[in-house]
């Protein structure tokens, strides 16, 4: 009797293995087939919602660049916009467990001012280029016109003899800086080639040598170089869309 029960248990285990094995193999095969390829990722980031968010962010960037370049005394030199969709990191707010792709734009625009910057800054503030914060408000406590003018007036030193932060104008989605090391940078956003079409670089002027343009602006001791950087809450990028994980075997869904 015991032998019969043992043989029956062994047969049942074998039957389970026979039934479950093909299911597991099929699931793994399906997962391999549907794990997002580059083509699928491109489709996911080309949804109507993604396209609308991308267009809105790029239009915001174009509008700010054009408005700043139209201010008297400000001359546009270069704009670079790198649009990229990548997997999230384990350290960000979007975790790979929940998010398949995050779409971000890294954008920088550079301008030169060939007259006294103290005359030009009030024009920039009055032109309505962005909603520059009042002193002590907004994402950067130092990013106001009052703080910038005070920096020049007091030689960059506060009433206690401490070095003040470099002047800037700050808004919720952009930051205008100058008169600090690294502006303009020696290394602009690389022109590529990039690994795949999940990375798109747009540049104005389109065919210019970005490194040469910035080197010439940096070498011109008569001018002040302005950097307009785009990003919210101190980030160096604007995140406009994300693709959540979902569906079977990790297939992304919008």
């Amino acid at each position: 009797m015991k032998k019969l029960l043992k043989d029956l248990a062994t047969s049942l285990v074998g039957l389970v293995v026979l039934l479950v094995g093909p299911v597991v193999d099929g699931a793994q095969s399906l997962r391999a087939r549907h794990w997002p390829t580059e083509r699928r990722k491109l489709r996911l980031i080309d949804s109507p919602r993604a396209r609308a968010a991308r267009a809105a962010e790029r239009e915001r960037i174009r509008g700010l660049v054009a408005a700043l370049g139209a201010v008297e005394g400000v001359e546009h030199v270069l704009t670079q916009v790198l649009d990229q969709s990548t997997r999230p990191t384990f350290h960000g707010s979007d975790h790979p467990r929940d998010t398949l792709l995050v779409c971000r734009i890294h954008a920088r625009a550079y301008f030169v001012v060939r007259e006294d910057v103290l005359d030009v800054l009030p024009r920039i503030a009055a032109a309505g280029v962005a909603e520059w914060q009042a002193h002590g408000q907004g994402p950067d406590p130092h990013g106001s016109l009052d703080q910038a003018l005070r920096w020049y007036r007091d030689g960059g030193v506060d009433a206690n003899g401490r070095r003040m932060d470099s002047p800037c104008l700050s808004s919720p989605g952009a930051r205008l800086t100058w008169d600090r090391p690294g502006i303009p940078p020696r290394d602009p956003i690389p022109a590529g080639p990039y690994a795949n079409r999940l990375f798109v670089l747009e540049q104005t002027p389109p065919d210019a040598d970005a490194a040469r343009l910035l080197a010439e602006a940096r070498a011109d001791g008569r001018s002040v170089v302005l950097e307009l950087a785009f990003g919210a809450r101190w980030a160096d990028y604007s995140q406009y869309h994300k693709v959540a994980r979902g569906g079977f075997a990790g297939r992304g869904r919008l």
Side-chain angles (χ1 to χ4, degrees):
M1 185 66 178
K2 290 183 179 179
K3 184 176 183 304
L4 179 60
L5 292 175
K6 183 177 180 181
D7 291 342
L8 181 59
T10 302
S11 299
L12 288 174
V13 170
L15 180 61
V16 169
V17 171
L18 288 174
L19 293 174
V20 172
V23 173
V24 172
D25 293 341
Q28 290 177 341
S29 176
L30 187 62
R31 182 184 180 91
R33 287 200 306 270
H34 290 286
W35 194 256
T37 61
E38 179 184 345
R39 180 180 298 178
R40 176 163 178 77
K41 290 177 183 178
L42 288 170
R43 288 200 302 267
L44 289 170
I45 65 172
D46 197 39
S47 69
R49 192 171 71 178
R51 288 200 305 270
R54 182 180 302 114
E57 182 60 21
R58 290 188 180 181
E59 183 58 33
R60 183 180 78 89
I61 292 170
R62 282 192 293 267
L64 286 176
V65 171
L68 182 56
V71 175
E72 181 185 356
V74 178
E75 177 186 334
H76 176 258
V77 174
L78 175 73
T79 298
Q80 289 187 308
V81 178
L82 177 61
D83 189 343
Q84 61 181 42
S85 298
T86 60
R87 295 184 64 183
T89 65
F90 286 90
H91 308 292
S93 58
D94 297 309
H95 196 278
R97 179 181 59 251
D98 308 310
T99 306
L100 183 67
L101 293 169
V102 289
C103 299
R104 297 168 174 167
I105 284 180
H106 295 258
R108 297 288 183 274
Y110 297 93
F111 308 80
V112 294
V113 173
R114 303 188 189 279
E115 55 184 280
D116 193 336
V117 73
L118 292 177
D119 294 331
V120 177
L121 288 177
R123 295 180 208 155
I124 294 174
V129 174
E131 294 182 1
W132 308 118
Q133 69 184 48
H135 177 62
Q137 299 176 350
D140 187 332
H142 308 289
S144 68
L145 177 62
D146 290 342
Q147 180 76 3
L149 296 178
R150 186 178 296 112
W151 189 91
Y152 285 102
R153 183 194 67 197
D154 299 336
V157 178
D158 65 17
N160 297 317
R162 292 190 295 265
R163 187 70 182 171
M164 299 170 63
D165 289 342
S166 298
C168 70
L169 295 180
S170 180
S171 76
R175 192 167 184 260
L176 183 66
T177 52
W178 64 95
D179 264 348
R180 68 174 176 82
I183 295 181
R186 295 187 179 277
D187 300 313
I189 299 176
Y194 292 96
N196 51 51
R197 289 182 294 158
L198 297 172
F199 298 81
V200 178
L201 177 66
E202 294 181 357
Q203 179 178 289
T204 306
D207 299 323
D209 184 334
R212 182 183 62 79
L213 282 178
L214 295 183
E216 291 175 351
R218 191 168 50 245
D220 187 357
R222 300 169 299 167
S223 61
V224 173
V225 179
L226 311 178
E227 179 188 74
L228 182 62
F230 296 87
R233 298 180 181 179
W234 297 287
D236 64 350
Y237 58 83
S238 301
Q239 182 169 314
Y240 63 85
H241 182 69
K242 68 179 180 179
V243 179
R245 283 195 180 278
F248 187 71
R251 293 159 56 187
R253 72 164 184 268
L254 297 177

